[in-house]
Amino acid sequence: MPSISSTDSRRPGGPGTLYVVATPIGHLDDITLRALSVLKTVDLVAAEDTRTTGRLLRHFDIHTSLVSYHDHNEAERAAELVPRLQQGISIALVTDAGTPGISDPGYRIVAAAAAAGLRVVPVPGALAAAAALSASGLPTDAFVFSGFLPKKAGKRSRQIEALASETRTVILYESAKRIAALIAEMLPVFGDRRAVLAREMTKRYEEFIRGGLSEILENLNRRAEIKGECTLLTAGRADEGPSSWEEAREEIRRGLSSPSKGVAELAKEVAHAHGLPRQAVYTEAMKIKAELNESGNGND
């Protein structure tokens, strides 16, 4: 593909263009020729961290001016950049690594430019989610990407419950410090599904850990330290056949006859044993409990 020229990046007498430029997630050779051309010819590069992007630009001998934007000033920066685009300058939007706006800042600036009727051009390239999926060995025909889950326990737990019912491959991001805790939280809800943990992709210590969620967790727990950016992929929920649910219901009925376990604990165990969504099993358990109480066979 031919590179853009300076006349491509700036429309004479008209508004400028916002380029959404993907940058390498690790290996610098993964940058595209088109991305380099854009970064050289635009008037300004808006970077999530000017220090990180500055190193990238110096590596490729690019001297375009930089301005910073990040989670805490993006709305304010969008209000500054849109008028400059309207005045005719061209801007390249980049994040520290990967594609802007994908679990990274950038969305608000793109949305503001689009709402103003300005030209927004993607310059595609590296994306950790796509790279991990392509090498995972999990189904790629349909997937759901949820990025980083909420840090607040309640919101995170609800999202994990919702994702457990997905029949598509599930892709998540998590920090190295929190990845083991995330898998431990997912395991009783998802069951011991087939999964892949991609770590340090495109870098020297790139690693793909494959197996059930429990195997991956055991692997991580044996390590003194976990480093690098992590992408976790899990297989989607298999269609539950009638026999799976019937066996689960029988186990629920047996469990409810014993006063030693609460409904929530019982549902958790049954869901894990049969690979069923915990929330769905809990709902079914409450229904069965009500039926047993009505017939006089319950514990209450």
Side-chain angles (χ1 to χ4, degrees), residues 82 86 108-118 120:
V82 166
Q86 291 171 325
R108 292 180 181 86
I109 294 174
V110 171
L118 294 163
V120 180

Coordinates of all heavy atoms in Angstrom, one line a residue, residues 82 86 108-118 120:
V82 N -10.1 19.0 18.8 CA -11.1 19.1 17.8 C -11.1 20.5 17.0 O -11.1 20.5 15.8 CB -12.6 18.9 18.3 CG1 -13.6 19.3 17.3 CG2 -12.7 17.4 18.6
Q86 N -10.3 21.2 13.1 CA -11.2 22.1 12.3 C -10.4 23.2 11.6 O -10.8 23.7 10.5 CB -12.3 22.6 13.1 CG -13.3 21.6 13.6 CD -14.2 22.1 14.6 OE1 -13.9 23.0 15.5 NE2 -15.5 21.6 14.6
R108 N -12.8 9.0 23.7 CA -13.5 10.3 23.8 C -13.0 11.3 22.7 O -13.8 12.0 22.2 CB -13.3 10.9 25.2 CG -14.0 10.2 26.3 CD -13.7 10.8 27.6 NE -14.3 10.1 28.7 CZ -13.8 9.0 29.3 NH1 -12.6 8.6 29.0 NH2 -14.5 8.5 30.3
I109 N -11.7 11.2 22.4 CA -11.2 12.1 21.3 C -11.8 11.7 19.9 O -12.2 12.5 19.2 CB -9.7 12.0 21.3 CG1 -9.1 12.6 22.6 CG2 -9.1 12.7 20.1 CD1 -7.6 12.5 22.7
V110 N -11.8 10.4 19.7 CA -12.4 9.9 18.4 C -13.9 10.2 18.3 O -14.4 10.7 17.3 CB -12.2 8.3 18.3 CG1 -13.0 7.8 17.1 CG2 -10.8 8.0 18.2
A111 N -14.6 10.0 19.4 CA -16.1 10.4 19.5 C -16.3 11.8 19.2 O -17.2 12.2 18.5 CB -16.7 9.9 20.8
A112 N -15.5 12.7 19.8 CA -15.7 14.1 19.7 C -15.4 14.6 18.2 O -16.1 15.4 17.6 CB -14.7 14.9 20.6
A113 N -14.3 14.0 17.6 CA -14.0 14.3 16.2 C -15.1 13.8 15.3 O -15.5 14.6 14.4 CB -12.6 13.7 15.9
A114 N -15.6 12.6 15.5 CA -16.7 12.1 14.7 C -17.9 12.9 14.8 O -18.6 13.2 13.8 CB -16.9 10.6 15.0
A115 N -18.2 13.3 16.0 CA -19.4 14.1 16.3 C -19.3 15.5 15.6 O -20.4 16.1 15.2 CB -19.7 14.3 17.8
A116 N -18.1 16.0 15.4 CA -17.9 17.3 14.8 C -17.9 17.1 13.3 O -17.7 18.1 12.6 CB -16.6 17.9 15.3
G117 N -18.0 15.9 12.8 CA -18.1 15.7 11.3 C -16.7 15.7 10.7 O -16.5 15.8 9.5
L118 N -15.7 15.5 11.5 CA -14.3 15.4 11.0 C -13.9 14.0 10.5 O -14.6 13.1 10.9 CB -13.3 15.8 12.1 CG -13.5 17.3 12.6 CD1 -12.8 17.5 13.9 CD2 -12.9 18.2 11.5
V120 N -12.1 10.7 10.4 CA -11.3 9.9 11.3 C -10.9 8.6 10.5 O -11.7 7.9 10.0 CB -12.2 9.4 12.5 CG1 -11.4 8.5 13.4 CG2 -12.7 10.7 13.3

